[in-house]
Amino acid sequence: MSEQSFLDHSHQRGFLECQIGSLLAALEHASRAERLAQAPGLLQRFDPRVRLIAMLVLIGLVVSTHSLTTLYGLLAAAALMAFVSRVPLTILARGIWLNVLLFTGALALPAIFLVPGDSVFHVPLLGWAMTMQGLESAAFLVGRALTAATFAGLTILATPWPHLLKALRTLGVPAVMVVILCMTYRYIFLLLQSALDMFEARRSRQVGRLTGAEKRHMLVANAGVLLSKSLHLADEVYLAMQSRGYRGEQHALLEFRMAPLDWTALAVLLAITSVAFRFQAWGLG
Amino acid sequence: MTVPAFELRDVEYRYQGVIALAGLSLVIPQGKRVVLLGANGSGKSTLLRLLDALYFPAAGQVLAFGEALDARRMANEDACFAFRRRVGFVFQNPDMQLFNASVFDELAFGPLQLHWPAERIRQQVETTLESMGLAHLRNRAPHRLSGGEKKRVALASVLILDPEVLLLDEPTASLDPESESQLIDTLIDWGGGAKTIVMATHDLDIVEDVADICVVMQQGRVIAQGTPGEILGDEELLGRTGLIHAHRHRHSHSGGAAHRHHHLHHGTRSTMPGATSKLVWRPLPRRKPEDA
């Protein structure tokens, strides 16, 4: 049994086990996302810039459409895209859909009763009237959030983070921002590993349970040590950068190349967007 | 006569008042492989950082290729780029050196800073990845690399610039024997053996393989200098500087009797002249209470 599963199934999870479990879960999540991004799926074949642009265009379409058919059609298309890109729907369901439904559902629920319109149902005892217009508003709110989050999540899951960050340069994001984000992505794992090592070292020497004050003291002490380590790391990294010619200017190399498949994808995207807007203009959606 | 790669004259360096280098003088000729030997805290890493113009001495002078290496020279962009192009530094901890999000970006970083054209960078990165056997790691994030892979990527990220001088800080630290062997082979083959290497280590097992000159340091000073044979043959010197230690162990050929003496060997490599067999370590059996 792996340490992760041991921690998950332990009935008496102590404070340290909880911290270690959270850190391991974060590392495992990142590792799974990287594996998905490297999977031989359809979305993974496209240039990261195309993926990023497609995501933004489709989210724009989702936000601007006034058609429930178009909206939920796009959601179905996103689910289909996840399937052919080897992104398990369970990951989308647990990681995105459930959270979005809970959050936007809570926001949309009052609208069902508060928006005036044709009554379709009365809640027994309370007598609240559920209106058609209210249901439509709620469906739009939930559908937009769900579809936009699915497109965003899918793009992130199917694209290695470094590529996604570099693709931001295409949108005019300054090189300094891209470099900072890349370095953050690089070192967050080192600090996570350091935190994990510290908690495990502590657990290996701990006998008995910690009091609340001891837990707080330990957390603060660990945070202090991590901060100190990250400052030292920053100094050393800066020296390593200087050593290879860094003089304060940021440069980034885009190694992406557009293939015929990418141009085709962009053309299809353009066609879908035009048709969707045309349908909307004709009031067919 | 060729100008030395580096010349240090009475160099002093302090970390917040604590002396790290105390009046150190040293000449590092071009085309030679120099190994800096010394126990922890002897000043090896500080010396390497001075040679790479990351630190500047509090007193004394450092010359690189016959010119003073100081903050004023490095403030000039052209001089700085020229120096960085000629001297590469591989840090002890590869996590400090691998600060990019992928192996490709890591190799491209140095050439990008030196304003190489994009197409040349792409070509050179691919060539270097191929020649160092790292092509399969091209898009891998550094945190997904093993210790040996990290060291090789760190080395590749410096070798891509094809420097004239390579500075290495404990390159074999925490490497498994196979990774260590690969790294040493790469260093031996690099530049056809004609380039300058300055390597800090306290791993005596690799010295004869990679060094033309050994420099022994203690408390921020050079206390001895010579060929690997001269230095490794001086057990008194090595013992005094903490480079070898005496410990109890059992030899298979000595009838099983445990005894205590100094050892040059710490792994599977043999450094004894004429030795052909590898050392095989057998752990001492745990002593029973009645033996005490």
Side-chain angles (χ1 to χ4, degrees):
Chain A
M1 188 184 277
S2 69
E3 188 169 10
Q4 177 66 65
S5 56
F6 163 76
L7 290 167
D8 285 345
H9 294 96
S10 171
H11 294 295
Q12 290 186 322
R13 290 183 61 177
F15 169 72
L16 282 172
E17 279 72 16
C18 282
Q19 304 305 317
I20 292 169
S22 310
L23 292 171
L24 281 172
L27 287 170
E28 175 57 28
H29 178 75
S31 169
R32 191 173 52 222
E34 275 178 33
R35 280 198 303 274
L36 285 175
Q38 305 289 346
L42 178 66
L43 204 49
Q44 289 88 335
R45 285 188 207 166
F46 297 125
D47 185 296
R49 291 169 296 181
V50 172
R51 283 178 247 177
L52 190 65
I53 290 168
M55 177 192 78
L56 293 174
V57 169
L58 288 168
I59 288 177
L61 187 59
V62 165
V63 171
S64 59
T65 187
H66 298 301
S67 156
L68 276 177
T69 316
T70 307
L71 190 57
Y72 284 91
L74 285 169
L75 180 59
L80 183 67
M81 185 55 85
F83 180 73
V84 294
S85 303
R86 313 232 176 156
V87 175
L89 291 180
T90 48
I91 289 183
L92 288 181
R94 275 195 312 227
I96 297 173
W97 294 341
L98 192 63
N99 293 327
V100 172
L101 275 176
L102 283 173
F103 186 68
T104 52
L107 290 176
L109 193 64
I112 296 174
F113 304 102
L114 294 178
V115 174
D118 308 327
S119 172
V120 288
F121 180 71
H122 279 87
V123 180
L125 301 174
L126 295 171
W128 294 351
M130 201 181 276
T131 65
M132 179 55 81
Q133 285 76 4
L135 280 173
E136 211 171 282
S137 306
F140 266 115
L141 181 62
V142 172
R144 280 189 176 133
L146 213 52
T147 314
T150 306
F151 277 127
L154 195 54
T155 309
I156 290 167
L157 284 170
T159 314
W161 261 105
H163 290 181
L164 196 64
L165 295 174
K166 279 171 125 188
L168 289 173
R169 289 278 290 131
T170 325
L171 305 176
V173 176
V176 64
M177 276 296 294
V178 174
V179 170
I180 289 172
L181 286 170
C182 283
M183 287 181 80
T184 307
Y185 172 77
R186 161 72 182 97
Y187 282 109
I188 197 80
F189 292 101
L190 196 66
L191 290 175
L192 267 179
Q193 192 59 52
S194 294
L196 187 61
D197 292 344
M198 280 161 56
F199 280 120
E200 284 188 337
R202 176 74 193 220
R203 185 173 65 165
S204 73
R205 287 176 289 151
Q206 186 192 316
V207 180
R209 286 184 170 276
L210 294 174
T211 64
E214 285 171 334
K215 287 174 188 171
R216 286 191 295 277
H217 182 260
M218 194 185 83
L219 263 184
V220 171
N222 284 348
V225 171
L226 269 183
L227 182 65
S228 162
K229 277 188 177 185
S230 59
L231 287 174
H232 174 67
L233 187 67
D235 287 344
E236 290 290 305
V237 168
Y238 181 63
L239 288 180
M241 290 171 77
Q242 272 191 315
S243 171
R244 280 151 71 191
Y246 177 74
R247 289 179 61 85
E249 271 180 58
Q250 299 297 335
H251 307 278
L253 182 71
L254 284 179
E255 80 264 39
F256 307 136
R257 286 179 189 203
M258 291 287 281
L261 183 70
D262 298 311
W263 292 113
T264 312
L266 276 182
V268 169
L269 180 72
L270 190 69
I272 290 172
T273 315
S274 316
V275 169
F277 277 120
R278 185 71 59 179
F279 264 54
Q280 202 162 296
W282 291 341
L284 296 175
Chain B
M1 190 179 155
T2 320
V3 179
F6 292 104
E7 190 175 349
L8 294 95
R9 297 173 185 158
D10 294 321
V11 166
E12 272 188 36
Y13 188 83
R14 293 163 196 265
Y15 288 104
Q16 294 169 340
V18 179
I19 292 180
L21 297 179
L24 184 141
S25 295
L26 180 66
V27 174
I28 295 172
Q30 287 196 46
K32 294 289 181 189
R33 297 169 184 188
V34 179
V35 167
L36 306 174
L37 294 170
N40 293 334
S42 58
K44 305 187 298 290
S45 298
T46 307
L47 172 56
L48 286 178
R49 287 168 186 231
L50 257 86
L51 296 181
D52 198 37
L54 297 174
Y55 297 165
F56 298 103
Q61 197 180 24
V62 180
L63 301 177
F65 308 105
E67 291 180 46
L69 188 61
D70 50 27
R72 201 170 54 181
R73 177 178 166 192
M74 294 306 285
N76 178 287
E77 187 171 272
D78 291 337
C80 176
F81 283 168
F83 177 79
R84 297 291 175 215
R85 175 74 181 71
R86 296 177 86 175
V87 180
F89 184 20
V90 180
F91 284 66
Q92 180 177 357
N93 182 353
D95 277 323
M96 310 289 184
Q97 191 166 348
L98 305 184
F99 44 78
N100 286 284
S102 72
V103 170
F104 180 94
D105 291 339
E106 202 57 64
L107 265 69
F109 182 85
L112 269 172
Q113 304 310 311
L114 301 187
H115 303 156
W116 287 14
E119 200 46 46
R120 183 182 170 202
I121 295 175
R122 287 192 190 96
Q123 249 176 20
Q124 198 59 37
V125 170
E126 300 298 348
T127 310
T128 309
L129 284 172
E130 204 62 51
S131 64
M132 299 276 293
L134 297 168
H136 63 293
L137 303 174
R138 188 183 186 283
N139 293 320
R140 188 83 62 89
H143 67 273
R144 293 270 161 235
L145 301 174
S146 70
E149 288 169 343
K150 280 182 188 174
K151 283 272 185 185
R152 276 161 60 208
V153 173
L155 184 60
S157 69
V158 172
L159 292 189
I160 191 171
L161 296 172
D162 194 25
E164 291 169 35
V165 181
L166 185 59
L167 310 171
L168 300 116
D169 195 357
E170 302 283 359
T172 56
S174 66
L175 285 186
D176 60 63
E178 191 185 349
S179 303
E180 178 185 310
S181 180
Q182 283 177 343
L183 192 89
I184 296 302
D185 289 345
T186 306
L187 291 178
I188 290 169
D189 295 341
W190 176 60
K195 302 231 181 182
T196 310
I197 292 180
V198 185
M199 182 194 297
T201 186
H202 42 62
D203 182 357
L204 301 183
D205 296 338
I206 63 171
V207 171
E208 284 204 325
D209 290 342
V210 294
D212 299 317
I213 300 168
C214 288
V215 175
V216 183
M217 293 179 65
Q218 192 174 39
Q219 294 178 339
R221 288 191 177 87
V222 173
I223 60 161
Q225 195 172 332
T227 63
E230 288 165 354
I231 298 296
L232 295 179
D234 191 344
E235 284 198 22
E236 189 275 325
L237 170 73
L238 298 178
R240 182 158 47 90
T241 50
L243 287 164
I244 54 173
H245 61 285
H247 59 168
R248 287 179 69 80
H249 59 270
R250 195 181 297 272
H251 284 287
S252 55
H253 58 75
S254 63
H259 61 277
R260 181 182 172 85
H261 69 133
H262 285 112
H263 251 274
L264 291 177
H265 314 287
H266 294 266
T268 55
R269 272 169 197 268
S270 171
T271 58
M272 291 294 283
T276 52
S277 61
K278 288 181 175 177
L279 280 175
V280 178
W281 294 104
R282 292 173 57 193
L284 275 173
R286 194 180 288 275
R287 292 177 76 191
K288 293 176 185 170
E290 59 267 26
D291 296 337

